Amino acid sequence: MKSRYATKEELLEKAKEAQGKKFKDLDKTGLLSNSKNKGGLGQIIEEGLFGMPINNRAEPDFAWLGVELKVTPVKLVDNGKRYSAKERLVLCVINYHEEGHNDCFKNSAAWAKAENMLIVVYLWEKGKDKGEYVILKAFLHEFSEEDLLVIEKDWKKIHDKIASGHAEDLTEADTDILAACTKGANGMVFVEQFGSDVKAKPRAFCLKTAYMSMILRLQLGHPQELLRIFSAQELREYGSYSDILRKRLEPFVNLRVDEIVEMLGFDYNPNKKDVLAQLTASMLGVKGMDLSKTLEFQQSNIHVKTIRLEPNGVPREHMSFGKVDFNALMSDSWEESQFFREFEENKYLLIVYQYLETAKQNPNRVPVFRGARLWNMPGMVINRYVKQLWKETRAVLKEGVKLERKGNRVLNNLPGAKQNPVCHLRSKAKDGNDKDRLPDGQEITKQAFWLNNTYVAKIVSQEEDESRLVMDVVSADK
């Protein structure tokens, strides 16, 4: 084997022989028809293309070159106009005890797998037999300087939770590119962790789906023209997206919106729905552009939410998220559910403005900019309060939703804001005719997932003290 692939370039040339072929063309030993084969399509590449014996190696697949083989799918989206990664790129299962003892990124299991990757990409098509999937491209991946700086910081965040005995609090949204994703089909499985008697979900190091989409589009000739807003110099100097955001926004904190508008020469229209988000983008030096469309926000699953606090520090309105798919809610497991994935996988730039007067005191009131922060929901809150809402909603759906007309309104018994200190369901529809069909056949105005306004106030007031936030939520539930 060593003599066949003396260099990475030779290895890549061999891999390129698979381009345009189907997996059935490479399956020399009937792996596709073997129901006991759990290694999947990667094993067909290993055995059928490279002639490698199948085994689970801790070291890189091509150890003498330090190269790891990764086989990953893309799918066509936007009516076939562009490619998107179908899933995360899993690097390796996290051994909590080994990671707890390791204090160097370059010695980590994640870097051992990710440093030199030969990535083979195939097109996944719904309903097609696996053997018919076509291999599109093979390439050797190199991380950009900016991405590598972020990945090393990501690893440290994951490592610090593991080393402190809090692996149970890990979520995929903790980090930006390198993540700790849940691993295993059974969401009820827990394993021992380093430094604690509390068991944690098994997780794996992975590269996020959104990041892989950007890498694969570039390789497949569908690159996205996205603006990179954080430089390598800033990442070296400040260390994280959060610190860069804080530094750039610092000069504007506690200024009135009209003062900021004058400083920036911003075209301010208070009637535009997203005007405050656009103003914040301008403060960050990203004029005339949606922050969520920038490279860093796209690859890290960062979504923008604007919060308008009342003088008492609580927003008038609850914070809405996606519409609820009731049929999926009944069929999906907890870890497949939109409730879990929304907060397990995504983080949010919370842009905070505050009014110093009530609307009654001054109908033309102008808010003050209080700052912005990157936030993701703590794992303890997801697995206690969001899961509680998921369970209670399923129970109501199973029994049948009770709909009661009162005047012009139709009330229901889906879990409301008073039943959970964190989240609830309520309508989010264009009008009374904008409806969904429930599993029992009844129709209901479209419902969405909402964070309670009081919980949003806690997020804002507690800044980044995650443990205190969880304690406050727990005490509110007693």
Side-chain angles (χ1 to χ4, degrees), residues 274-393:
D274 62 347
V275 68
L276 292 180
Q278 289 183 0
L279 178 60
T280 307
S282 189
M283 286 187 255
L284 288 168
V286 188
K287 294 184 178 180
M289 189 172 181
D290 183 348
L291 279 172
S292 64
K293 304 300 183 187
T294 60
L295 185 146
E296 289 88 349
F297 280 54
Q298 285 274 302
Q299 71 182 16
S300 302
N301 284 340
I302 300 173
H303 305 272
V304 178
K305 292 283 187 182
T306 302
I307 300 170
R308 296 170 176 83
L309 300 176
E310 291 296 319
N312 65 356
V314 179
R316 178 186 293 183
E317 299 177 346
H318 304 295
M319 183 183 288
S320 68
F321 292 81
K323 299 281 180 69
V324 177
D325 182 335
F326 288 105
N327 290 314
L329 179 58
M330 291 303 291
S331 62
D332 291 344
S333 68
W334 162 235
E335 290 190 2
E336 295 171 329
S337 71
Q338 67 180 115
F339 287 28
F340 176 79
R341 295 187 65 181
E342 177 70 45
F343 295 106
E344 166 69 20
E345 298 175 7
N346 298 309
K347 65 172 59 181
Y348 305 87
L349 177 64
L350 304 180
I351 303 169
V352 184
Y353 291 85
Q354 184 173 20
Y355 294 109
L356 303 182
E357 307 161 286
T358 65
K360 185 176 181 181
Q361 290 171 331
N362 182 1
N364 299 313
R365 59 189 180 161
V366 176
V368 169
F369 177 63
R370 291 303 194 198
R373 62 173 296 219
L374 285 175
W375 172 84
N376 62 281
M377 185 178 283
M380 188 182 296
V381 177
I382 296 172
N383 288 298
R384 179 171 182 178
Y385 294 99
V386 179
K387 189 172 185 178
Q388 175 187 323
L389 177 66
W390 176 77
K391 283 182 174 181
E392 291 175 353
T393 303

Side-chain angles (χ1 to χ4, degrees), residues 459-475:
I459 295 169
V460 173
S461 65
Q462 294 299 327
E463 297 183 345
E464 294 179 299
D465 188 352
E466 186 175 287
S467 60
R468 172 75 178 277
L469 176 61
V470 174
M471 289 169 62
D472 284 350
V473 172
V474 171
S475 64

Side-chain angles (χ1 to χ4, degrees), residues 81-83 137 215-224:
K81 293 178 181 177
R82 64 174 183 156
Y83 292 110
K137 187 162 185 180
I215 297 302
L216 299 178
R217 285 172 191 153
L218 180 64
Q219 289 291 333
L220 296 171
H222 289 188
Q224 287 178 279

